[in-house]
Amino acid sequence: MKNPSVRTVSQRTGRGLWIIAVVVLLIQLVLLSFSFPLSAALSGKFPWHIDGPYHVYQLDLGRALLKQGALTGLDPFFGAGHLGGVTYNVSARLPVLVSALLPETLSSATLYSAYVLLSALLAPLAVIVLARQLRWPVIHTAIAAFIGLAFWWIGAMRWYHTAGMASFVCASYLSAAYGAWIWRICTRIAPNPVRFSILLAGMAGGVGLWFHPLFGVLVAPWFLALLICNFREIIWRPLLLRAVPIAAIALALNLPWIMAMLGSPNIANDSPYQKAVGVAVAVKPLIGLWSNGGMGSLLNPFAALVCVVGLARLTNTARRQIASLFGTGVFLLLFAAFGAASAKIGILQPNRFVAPAFLFMGLGAAYCLGEAALRLRVWPRLTQIATGAAVLLFIAYAGREIYREATPGPHGHYGVSTTELTDTPALVGELTSWIRQNTSEDGRILFETSLGRIHGGGHTAGMLATATGREFIGAPYPYSLAHMSFWDNAGMGKPIGTLTPAELMDGLDFYNVGWIVAHSPALIALAARAEFTEPVARLGPVVIFKVKRALSFVASGTGNVRSRGFNRIDVDGAAGPALTLRYVWMPGLVTTPRAQIEPVQIKAGMPALIRVRHPPGSFTISVCARCEK
């Protein structure tokens, strides 16, 4: 029979944790109400800043494919037809799956806003779960909850969240809680097998990887740090017999998108985002500087200093707790600074790990402060006063920064300075109207994407394509499909300044382009001096040119592209022995009704196009992963 006094303490701890969770949730809801009100989130508004519109487009595509029972499929709106779905949708895969349980009438914009809001609420609550799994006292948990909330609003986490990386930010918090949970499962001494816990932890890990593929990269060093810091107490056999199945179950649940990525030609991306290498990447945020490559705040040096002091002053269990959290932070910080020295590791965009690095240090600092609070009574009076003053100063600084960050206005912000949920930006609305009224579905549009996101503050090409029903040459995001894309002063894999009008015309003709939407001086100048173009509109910084050429998606043979949608190109009026279409061939393409479909190279140095032999009069082209090739 359990000791009643022990049970009473446990009950009090449980109530304390629930109270902390409710308070944290209410504070986060109140703060979010300034820039992310629930009423706006459910009204169809969504974050247009940086990656927000790109994620909404990927949700549209992913939901359409999922309805067909697939995770990947033909996306005819970009890349002259390319394999879309989970191959490009890295951080919004989970809401695509969840959408299967939701009404089809729910817009992707509303789904994305709800997803971002839920991520914002889950993140600080995960800190309480971490504290519970590591058996922290209530005072430690309360301090950790406040510091976790502060890191969400102040510094790099906030920037990433408002930049459209809500999944990564939330995954950083969830990885801390999950790592502590599986650590407890793997090291708990139980008289009976913990099969259910293993299964549940494996499934949760699988969901975490669907949530964001870097979830496992965040969990691994945290679990390893716990192993190192508790090395002498570990009973290795049960730990391995539990940890290995958990990892195997998590990976097994993610095999569908992992296999799709491994088999996709689209995963290569030469973007320079988050790939800086050097000591400055670590030092600037460590000393609290906010600058290019820095993303620091005064929380960072505070967390690191408190952890160092705690390691020097505390002993035994307390030191191991701090060392594991601080060690995880140090590892992630070094990984952020030097990981991109390897091109393969650089694909992970290592610089982003600066944010979770200081989050782990902040949690270590919270444990230090909790230990200090327990020992405060025995400290000299002067030390108590100095400590209390420092804590009050920190609370005042953090409170002021959080309030400033949460409230829109002209004052400085780590994230956006306006409300996050907005109506369609003016330029996007103007482009949508112009494209609808002045272009046709007979040709593609060369849409120059923007690193500076001049089209409404975000990467909006995908939403323009779905809103207008027009096909765009290239990719909806800079640095993707470089051989056919245009962004700022780059085009077709070259600096635009090195392209001649003849080379441009070769590309426009090959991809059946009828209009150019340009904003960079180089592309505007190139199009302006070409004899085959004429300027037809100017919308703010954008100049639109019409290309003087006959429009047709048929390269040879007889036929007509009647319509297109996600994972389908509808053709009618086909006749003759063969029909070649100006769409890029890829493995898995089939026609309905069935006909022979094959690649054909019509121009050296250009991708192979689709040829259908003895086509039926009307047919549809799609990607069928389960059909016989």
Side-chain angles (χ1 to χ4, degrees):
M1 182 176 178
K2 290 185 177 180
N3 189 327
S5 62
V6 173
R7 186 167 60 247
T8 302
V9 170
S10 178
Q11 290 172 348
R12 288 177 180 174
T13 301
R15 283 197 299 269
L17 294 181
W18 278 109
I19 291 172
I20 294 170
V22 171
V23 170
V24 167
L25 187 61
L26 289 175
I27 292 174
Q28 186 75 328
L29 280 170
V30 169
L31 292 171
L32 287 169
S33 68
F34 292 109
S35 63
F36 208 105
L38 181 61
S39 58
L42 299 179
S43 69
K45 294 183 180 181
F46 69 91
W48 282 86
H49 188 56
I50 306 185
D51 285 352
Y54 177 73
H55 290 319
V56 174
Y57 170 71
Q58 290 294 343
L59 279 178
D60 280 334
L61 172 58
R63 293 175 71 186
L65 295 176
L66 190 65
K67 188 177 178 180
Q68 302 173 37
L71 294 175
T72 58
L74 174 65
D75 180 359
F77 294 103
F78 289 95
H82 74 282
L83 187 66
V86 294
T87 51
Y88 274 111
N89 180 11
V90 174
S91 57
R93 292 171 181 155
L94 189 59
V96 169
L97 291 185
V98 172
S99 70
L101 306 175
L102 301 174
E104 292 184 16
T105 54
L106 182 70
S107 71
S108 294
T110 301
L111 174 59
Y112 180 67
S113 293
Y115 174 72
V116 172
L117 178 61
L118 183 61
S119 298
L121 297 176
L122 279 177
L125 292 177
V127 173
I128 301 170
V129 177
L130 162 81
R132 175 64 173 172
Q133 295 302 319
L134 294 180
R135 293 296 186 263
W136 287 7
V138 173
I139 184 64
H140 296 60
T141 305
I143 295 171
F146 176 76
I147 287 181
L149 198 63
F151 270 96
W152 194 92
W153 284 99
I154 303 171
M157 286 292 190
R158 178 62 178 166
W159 187 91
Y160 284 126
H161 180 85
T162 59
M165 299 168 66
S167 296
F168 177 75
V169 170
C170 188
S172 298
Y173 282 81
L174 293 176
S175 67
Y178 180 76
W181 180 36
I182 60 174
W183 170 256
R184 184 184 171 199
I185 291 173
C186 292
T187 57
R188 183 173 58 197
I189 299 175
N192 298 315
V194 287
R195 295 191 184 96
F196 179 74
S197 296
I198 292 172
L199 177 62
L200 193 61
M203 294 174 65
V207 173
L209 290 172
W210 272 98
F211 192 74
H212 199 285
L214 296 181
F215 179 77
V217 180
L218 290 161
V219 172
W222 168 218
F223 190 83
L224 182 61
L226 286 167
L227 280 177
I228 294 172
C229 294
N230 296 275
F231 190 84
R232 294 182 179 179
E233 287 75 25
I234 292 173
I235 304 176
W236 287 95
R237 187 173 183 274
L239 184 143
L240 294 175
L241 289 177
R242 297 170 187 179
V244 172
I246 289 173
I249 293 169
L251 286 173
L253 292 176
N254 286 266
L255 283 178
W257 69 259
I258 292 174
M259 298 305 295
M261 291 291 287
L262 292 177
S264 169
N266 297 327
I267 59 174
N269 190 319
D270 295 327
S271 73
Y273 301 129
Q274 304 290 315
K275 293 181 180 179
V277 176
V279 175
V281 177
V283 171
K284 285 183 177 181
L286 181 61
I287 61 178
L289 289 181
W290 183 271
S291 62
N292 290 334
M295 287 192 178
S297 78
L298 292 182
L299 291 181
N300 296 350
F302 166 80
L305 180 61
V306 171
C307 281
V308 170
V309 172
L311 287 172
R313 298 297 298 270
L314 299 173
T315 58
N316 301 328
T317 302
R319 178 179 286 179
R320 290 200 299 270
Q321 292 272 12
I322 300 163
S324 57
L325 289 163
F326 182 67
T328 302
V330 170
F331 173 84
L332 291 175
L333 188 60
L334 293 174
F335 182 78
F338 303 106
S342 165
K344 291 184 178 180
I345 296 177
I347 296 174
L348 303 180
Q349 299 181 352
N351 296 165
R352 67 170 71 197
F353 287 90
V354 164
F358 286 104
L359 171 65
F360 275 95
M361 291 186 194
L363 295 174
Y367 191 87
C368 291
L369 294 175
E371 289 293 299
L374 294 179
R375 293 166 168 76
L376 191 61
R377 292 181 180 179
V378 300
W379 287 359
R381 184 68 174 172
L382 186 61
T383 303
Q384 291 179 357
I385 294 173
T387 302
V391 169
L392 289 175
L393 182 63
F394 170 76
I395 292 174
Y397 162 76
R400 177 179 179 273
E401 288 291 285
I402 290 173
Y403 177 76
R404 284 170 57 85
E405 185 63 30
T407 52
H411 51 276
H413 288 78
Y414 297 97
V416 293
S417 60
T418 59
T419 178
E420 293 180 61
L421 301 173
T422 62
D423 293 314
T424 303
L427 181 56
V428 176
E430 292 172 5
L431 283 168
T432 301
S433 297
W434 193 95
I435 291 171
R436 283 175 177 167
Q437 296 169 13
N438 299 280
T439 68
S440 72
E441 295 181 349
D442 297 326
R444 294 191 177 97
I445 298 172
L446 189 167
F447 185 87
E448 185 184 22
T449 55
S450 168
L451 300 180
R453 307 171 305 280
I454 68 163
H455 309 101
H459 297 292
T460 57
M463 296 206 67
L464 281 170
T466 53
T468 61
R470 304 296 189 262
E471 296 184 33
F472 289 18
I473 186 177
Y477 206 91
Y479 295 105
S480 299
L481 301 177
H483 64 286
M484 64 174 72
S485 293
F486 284 75
W487 62 84
D488 294 323
N489 292 304
M492 297 171 64
K494 302 177 181 179
I496 292 177
T498 66
L499 290 175
T500 65
E503 289 175 319
L504 177 63
M505 186 58 187
D506 279 346
L508 301 182
D509 189 61
F510 183 82
Y511 291 114
N512 186 34
V513 174
W515 300 268
I516 299 173
V517 179
H519 69 268
S520 71
L523 183 55
I524 291 173
L526 176 61
R529 73 173 186 265
E531 297 180 355
F532 50 82
T533 64
E534 61 174 326
V536 291
R538 177 181 284 273
L539 302 175
V542 171
V543 179
I544 304 177
F545 297 85
K546 181 176 176 58
V547 182
K548 303 173 186 177
R549 59 175 298 276
L551 301 178
S552 176
F553 283 101
V554 175
S556 65
T558 301
N560 175 61
V561 175
R562 182 179 71 253
S563 62
R564 76 278 292 147
F566 292 130
N567 204 30
R568 65 174 179 83
I569 301 170
D570 300 319
V571 181
D572 62 11
L579 172 63
T580 300
L581 299 173
R582 295 187 185 277
Y583 288 90
V584 175
W585 183 88
M586 72 186 77
L589 288 173
V590 296
T591 65
T592 306
R594 187 61 61 90
Q596 183 180 348
I597 186 169
E598 62 187 16
V600 58
Q601 195 84 38
I602 69 168
K603 189 175 182 62
M606 292 293 196
L609 298 181
I610 294 172
R611 180 165 62 185
V612 181
R613 289 189 176 275
H614 305 290
S618 298
F619 61 92
T620 297
I621 298 175
S622 62
V623 169
C624 180
R626 295 182 297 273
C627 296
E628 294 182 8
K629 303 296 189 291

